[in-house]
Amino acid sequence: YGLASLHHPFGAAGVELFSQIGTGVTRLETGEAPALLQQAGTVLSSTASLGISRPAVGGRLGIAVSRPVQMDRAGMRYRLPVSRSRDGVVGYETRKVDFRPAKRETDLGLFFRRGGWQGRLATESFVEWRHDAPHALGETLVEAGVRISLSL
């Protein structure tokens, strides 16, 4: 897996641009024993994000557009049982399946981060608009929340 990040000051007033891009290659192996999964191809995945933040009221306020980690290619070959004869013989067919999602998720997020307690405690409140998220019932999902991190 490879990941590249960039944080760059932009103009005055503590404004910062940030971006990240990544890609992954996963090689899956199948065993020698008979199984339904006959062949697993190389899985390719990718991610990217771009955002801007600035100081605000004792913290940082920002906006980001991102494409979360997603499989770009994930081909598999299965040997599936499709019939059974009267004498108990099972008939099989080979099916090729690509587990890549049909749509690519794109997120737009607003956040406010604040540190405290000698740099060991961090809080972040956020709202995200997630378009084509694979787990969403509709095309758009809105999520909001608070994260609290404590470094010991």
Side-chain angles (χ1 to χ4, degrees), residues 130-150:
R130 302 178 73 178
H131 185 67
D132 290 331
H135 65 283
L137 296 177
E139 287 186 12
T140 303
L141 176 67
V142 178
E143 295 180 332
V146 175
R147 290 184 190 107
I148 301 172
S149 304
L150 177 62

Side-chain angles (χ1 to χ4, degrees), residues 25-128:
V25 177
T26 305
R27 296 185 192 275
L28 303 174
E29 295 185 20
T30 56
E32 297 297 320
L36 295 178
L37 178 60
Q38 289 185 319
Q39 186 266 333
T42 300
V43 177
L44 301 178
S45 58
S46 64
T47 182
S49 63
L50 176 65
I52 189 167
S53 68
R54 66 179 296 276
V57 194
R60 290 198 75 79
L61 180 64
I63 184 169
V65 176
S66 65
R67 301 198 97 177
V69 174
Q70 179 173 308
M71 292 183 295
D72 297 318
R73 184 176 78 195
M76 311 286 169
R77 191 171 66 225
Y78 286 91
R79 183 173 175 249
L80 300 175
V82 294
S83 65
R84 179 182 288 271
S85 68
R86 290 180 189 226
D87 60 353
V89 176
V90 177
Y92 292 89
E93 284 185 10
T94 299
R95 303 278 169 94
K96 293 181 181 179
V97 179
D98 191 344
F99 285 98
R100 171 186 60 194
K103 297 179 180 179
R104 180 74 196 225
E105 179 179 348
T106 303
D107 299 348
L108 173 64
L110 300 172
F111 64 87
F112 178 73
R113 292 184 183 130
R114 185 176 196 151
W117 197 40
Q118 302 169 349
R120 299 175 71 186
L121 179 67
T123 59
E124 177 179 5
S125 53
F126 64 92
V127 61
E128 288 181 327

